[in-house]
Amino acid sequence: MEEHIVRQVERPVRSAHSHLTARELQVMELVERGMKNKDIGDELGIRTGTVKIHLKHIFEKTGIRGRYGLALSGLKEKGLLMPAVM
């Protein structure tokens, strides 16, 4: 194999979610666990409206639409869900 191809594969993969705040990452993790906004708010000690704002920012920053897409993205990133083979 050519050396430039091997070097390209060896590069560390940058997380698609690295530009999220610490709180947004917490909210995303709880969404991945299937928690509802109210439960997320209770867990983090914030209001449900604040959870919605964090989700809005997460969706804007990642380009992911909806809770389901967010959960699937997180599971794929963690290697817990394999991409579909066509």
Side-chain angles (χ1 to χ4, degrees), residues 9-23:
V9 172
E10 290 176 352
R11 284 186 208 155
V13 178
R14 183 176 170 217
S15 171
H17 305 299
S18 63
H19 57 283
L20 298 177
T21 66
R23 182 61 95 185

Side-chain angles (χ1 to χ4, degrees), residues 33-63:
R33 293 184 193 176
M35 294 179 75
K36 297 178 182 178
N37 289 355
K38 183 186 179 320
D39 298 328
I40 293 170
D42 292 343
E43 177 78 17
L44 299 177
I46 58 178
R47 295 176 185 257
T48 304
T50 305
V51 173
K52 290 178 184 180
I53 291 169
H54 285 308
L55 286 170
K56 177 182 176 283
H57 292 159
I58 292 166
F59 296 142
E60 288 173 352
K61 289 179 179 181
T62 62

Side-chain angles (χ1 to χ4, degrees), residues 15-31:
S15 171
H17 305 299
S18 63
H19 57 283
L20 298 177
T21 66
R23 182 61 95 185
E24 290 166 349
L25 289 169
Q26 288 175 322
V27 170
M28 190 173 83
E29 176 71 29
L30 296 175
V31 168

